[in-house]
Amino acid sequence: MRRLTRYALALVISGAITIFAATLTDSALLLAGIGQVYAVGSAVVLRPDIRRLASASGGTPSTVFVAVTVFGVLSIAEGLSSDYHFGAAILAGGLAYFGLVCGIWTISDGETGAGAT
């Protein structure tokens, strides 16, 4: 996928998630965080070398990642106030997703020796 196409698609994905989050929260700072985390995370995951590595079956590591992420997202969303905070949950899930794809990118960069493109 060409770089320009990848970035445009990442902005569309990020925009859709941010618009959805805007219906659930009114915090501009939280929405800015959601937008940038999902934009950069989507651009990274759309890289061909990342998609190749991310498509491998994960087994136990994937199960642990999902379980800890779900518990963390629920804890953050519940811990901020007496009500469930959907904006915080969306940001927390995005941060976990961003960490995962950047970890895969780091592994991929080590295997190929390629720089950031």
Side-chain angles (χ1 to χ4, degrees):
M1 178 180 302
R2 290 186 7 221
R3 186 180 302 180
L4 182 61
T5 305
R6 185 172 67 231
Y7 293 161
L9 185 56
L11 288 175
V12 168
I13 292 167
S14 172
I17 293 169
T18 305
I19 289 169
F20 173 72
T23 65
L24 301 172
T25 186
D26 58 356
S27 169
L29 186 58
L30 192 59
L31 291 173
I34 291 168
Q36 64 93 21
V37 164
Y38 280 99
V40 176
S42 297
V44 170
V45 83
L46 290 171
R47 293 171 50 97
D49 52 330
I50 305 302
R51 287 190 315 228
R52 179 185 54 81
L53 284 173
S55 66
S57 175
T60 302
S62 294
T63 304
V64 171
F65 176 80
V66 169
V68 170
T69 299
V70 167
F71 182 75
V73 166
L74 293 174
S75 298
I76 288 171
E78 286 286 335
L80 289 178
S81 67
S82 60
D83 296 331
Y84 190 82
H85 199 286
F86 286 100
I90 293 170
L91 180 59
L95 288 170
Y97 159 77
F98 181 74
L100 175 68
V101 298
C102 283
I104 294 170
W105 188 13
T106 302
I107 292 169
S108 169
D109 216 26
E111 285 183 359
T112 63
T117 58

